[in-house]
Amino acid sequence: MKLLSLIVLSVLLMSMGWGTDLSMAKNEAKKNNKLILLSFSGSDWCIPCIKTRKEILDKEAFLKYAAVNLVLVNADFPRLKKNALSKEQTKQNEALADTYNKNGVFPLTLLLDADGKVLKQWEGYPDVSPEVFVSQITAIQHAH
């Protein structure tokens, strides 16, 4: 039974992943009654961004919760040429930043409703465990 649970979890985690298109995320959130977690990161230069990813967003406690309750969107701003995004993706991320991250805060993590309204934001590294991070989202989800 434990093996079956592990297999189901693995399939869920592989299928959910981080998207890059907020309009698609909004559609999915509306269709499935979910919230959106939008992460602004500098994946190859921002130490607090890398720490947020490794210590919170990539942990099982968060991923299990997110698979059921969230649509994940990453707006990445890499600096190294080898990690450069397509022109289209760069333009899309810049448009997201113009709307949601005018001050260029990294990392910036936003919890949005299905219409794109900001419900909560975490500026910088959220210095909490993945479980506390999830509980913060859950509290807003239940109030929403």
Side-chain angles (χ1 to χ4, degrees), residues 51-65:
K51 187 175 179 182
T52 299
R53 188 63 166 225
K54 281 185 178 175
E55 295 182 7
I56 298 172
L57 304 178
D58 283 346
K59 294 295 183 187
E60 185 178 351
F62 173 76
L63 292 171
K64 283 172 79 171
Y65 174 80

Side-chain angles (χ1 to χ4, degrees), residues 76-77 83-95:
D76 192 21
F77 291 83
N83 298 328
L85 304 174
S86 69
K87 283 189 172 114
E88 298 79 24
Q89 189 62 56
T90 299
K91 199 171 180 180
Q92 189 173 308
N93 290 357
E94 287 171 352

Side-chain angles (χ1 to χ4, degrees), residues 69-86:
N69 297 285
L70 300 173
V71 182
L72 304 175
V73 178
N74 186 37
D76 192 21
F77 291 83
R79 290 188 178 162
L80 298 177
K81 195 172 185 172
K82 69 178 184 175
N83 298 328
L85 304 174
S86 69

